[in-house]
Amino acid sequence: MSVVIGEVIKGSPACRAGIKAGDTLISLNGEEIVDVLDYRFYQNDSKVKIEFLNAKGRLKAKTVKKNAEDELGLCFETYLMDSQRSCKNKCVFCFIDQLPKGMRQSLYFKDDDSRLSFLFGNYITLTNLTEHEISRIIKMHISPVNISVHTTNPELRVQMMKNKHAGEVLSIIDRLNEAGIRMNCQLVLCPDYNDGEELKKTLADLTAKENIGCIAAVPVGLTKHREGLPELKPFDKERALKTVEILEHFGAETKKATGQRKVFASDEFYILAEKPIPEADFYEDFLQLENGVGLWALLKSEANSAIEDAEGLENARTVSIATGVSAYPLIVEIVDKIKEKCHNLTVNVYPIKNEFFGEQITVSGLITGGDILNQLEGKTLGDELLIPSSMLRHENDLFLDDMHIDTLSVKLGVKVTAVNNDGYELTYKILGKVQ
């Protein structure tokens, strides 16, 4: 495969060699470049032979010398250099299959691309990996690899993922472990499928492998749009509590054996179990924040530090916060501490029920602009409405229902500000101060 060069950075080794945008990259030091992982690996030599086709279609070769750690200077249209690979599974718990019709097309794409695991921390199921890619991960020592495991029972994994290869590819974990590749694992737990005794087996299998870095378990998310999908039931308090106990037991065992806690329950499990979420030091390096593990503890810890340093307000201020039902108690706790220090501050915290996906979905990141509008219209909002940035796509502009943040602001008649999951930022935004 060859790839067109989109840009050559001015003054870079490639630029000095006369390579131009529009040329087609063929190989580096004789190694074919298929995607960005190949490019990043093979550009790291101090002497690099670049083979490329110029604009006239003539094969050229240039050898450049540079410091091994220096970038070659080639840029491409996408990180991957080709199309992103979609998931081949039909998991019984897949959230994308539970989306209603009519949402923007990008929301329906199921990613299962090993390159995005390394580049951006995405989780893969292993069912898309070819032998070439497994060998490349081992050869390049690409690490960590993030894997959606769910269960180490091969037959159960086939049943849950609706892919006949889902069980046999578990052997890839053994190969990567033997090669010294660090792996982080995700378990989406479904009652009567992979919880209870099956969960214990999965954790025993995974924690026995020395290169498994961190394991996070999250409860299945069920929307009201499950027509034609397998029947699943949500976790109740009792079942969530038993699950947390299993996870904490294995976490304590890995802590004792290795000095590192490797198994964690997501914050949502603690909320469902009505069990206090551990303090920040329990989560060590917070390696599974993307799975909702330790988000509460980190936000609370940061906010407490920010509140200690915060100064009072000269002028009275009224601000509102829209948050998910599950996060509501924590936000109220933080707000109450801030108000102890700032007596002329009024903060209205509004828990937004998820009418769009169904009230079983309680996390802030799945709240739509329409639900906020419907539930806050006519309410006292004050000088500003703060919302978690997780409610918006990464450009910080659109909610899941395609409502623009500016549209919400106009309709509610108040400035709407997105706040990152950062306790310092939240505290300063509540106070109306620049961090």
Side-chain angles (χ1 to χ4, degrees), residues 384-433:
E384 191 174 11
L385 173 64
L386 306 180
I387 64 169
S389 60
S390 60
M391 292 181 181
L392 305 170
R393 66 177 183 175
H394 65 273
E395 290 90 350
N396 258 14
D397 57 352
L398 293 180
F399 291 91
L400 285 168
D401 58 356
D402 280 350
M403 180 182 287
H404 198 283
I405 187 173
D406 293 343
T407 302
L408 181 64
S409 179
V410 170
K411 292 192 174 186
L412 289 176
V414 67
K415 179 183 178 183
V416 180
T417 301
V419 182
N420 292 318
N421 192 74
D422 181 297
Y424 295 97
E425 183 176 335
L426 175 62
T427 301
Y428 286 111
K429 289 285 176 66
I430 288 173
L431 294 172
K433 296 183 177 182

Side-chain angles (χ1 to χ4, degrees), residues 206-417:
L206 292 176
T207 56
K209 303 181 193 307
E210 62 271 24
N211 288 304
I212 295 293
C214 193
I215 304 165
V218 302
V220 60
L222 303 175
T223 79
K224 64 182 183 181
H225 306 282
R226 287 192 59 83
E227 298 83 0
L229 297 176
E231 184 177 351
L232 293 176
K233 51 188 182 182
F235 278 89
D236 57 21
K237 176 183 175 180
E238 181 181 358
R239 201 153 196 163
L241 186 58
K242 289 179 180 177
T243 301
V244 170
E245 289 171 351
I246 292 171
L247 294 164
E248 286 188 341
H249 168 76
F250 276 89
E253 289 297 306
T254 58
K255 181 80 170 178
K256 188 188 303 181
T258 69
Q260 176 191 356
R261 188 179 300 276
K262 294 187 175 185
V263 181
F264 297 93
S266 69
D267 295 357
E268 194 174 357
F269 263 125
Y270 284 95
I271 294 167
L272 290 168
E274 298 179 21
K275 181 178 171 68
I277 292 177
E279 296 299 318
D281 58 0
F282 177 87
Y283 296 97
E284 300 179 357
D285 295 326
F286 292 97
L287 297 178
Q288 291 273 14
L289 286 172
E290 69 276 15
N291 277 313
V293 174
L295 279 173
W296 270 42
L298 182 59
L299 186 70
K300 182 178 176 179
S301 174
E302 291 171 340
N304 287 340
S305 296
I307 293 167
E308 285 181 14
D309 298 335
E311 299 177 355
L313 293 175
E314 293 182 8
N315 301 312
R317 172 172 166 80
T318 299
V319 63
S320 295
I321 301 173
T323 187
V325 171
S326 60
Y328 174 76
L330 173 63
I331 300 302
V332 169
E333 181 182 340
I334 291 171
V335 164
D336 287 345
K337 287 184 179 179
I338 297 174
K339 288 167 67 177
E340 287 176 8
K341 205 163 190 179
C342 303
H343 301 293
N344 55 349
L345 174 68
T346 300
V347 185
N348 306 305
V349 184
Y350 295 105
I352 306 299
K353 293 181 180 178
N354 202 318
E355 303 288 351
F356 188 87
F357 288 114
E359 292 189 18
Q360 286 189 29
I361 304 298
T362 62
V363 296
S364 299
L366 293 173
I367 290 173
T368 62
D371 279 346
I372 296 174
L373 177 62
N374 292 337
Q375 294 173 47
L376 296 191
E377 203 165 22
K379 296 282 179 68
T380 299
L381 300 177
D383 306 309
E384 191 174 11
L385 173 64
L386 306 180
I387 64 169
S389 60
S390 60
M391 292 181 181
L392 305 170
R393 66 177 183 175
H394 65 273
E395 290 90 350
N396 258 14
D397 57 352
L398 293 180
F399 291 91
L400 285 168
D401 58 356
D402 280 350
M403 180 182 287
H404 198 283
I405 187 173
D406 293 343
T407 302
L408 181 64
S409 179
V410 170
K411 292 192 174 186
L412 289 176
V414 67
K415 179 183 178 183
V416 180
T417 301

Side-chain angles (χ1 to χ4, degrees), residues 173-190:
I173 295 176
D174 292 321
R175 292 179 61 184
L176 297 180
N177 183 63
E178 291 167 6
I181 304 299
R182 185 178 176 85
M183 292 165 281
N184 297 320
C185 300
Q186 175 195 68
L187 313 174
V188 176
L189 300 184
C190 304

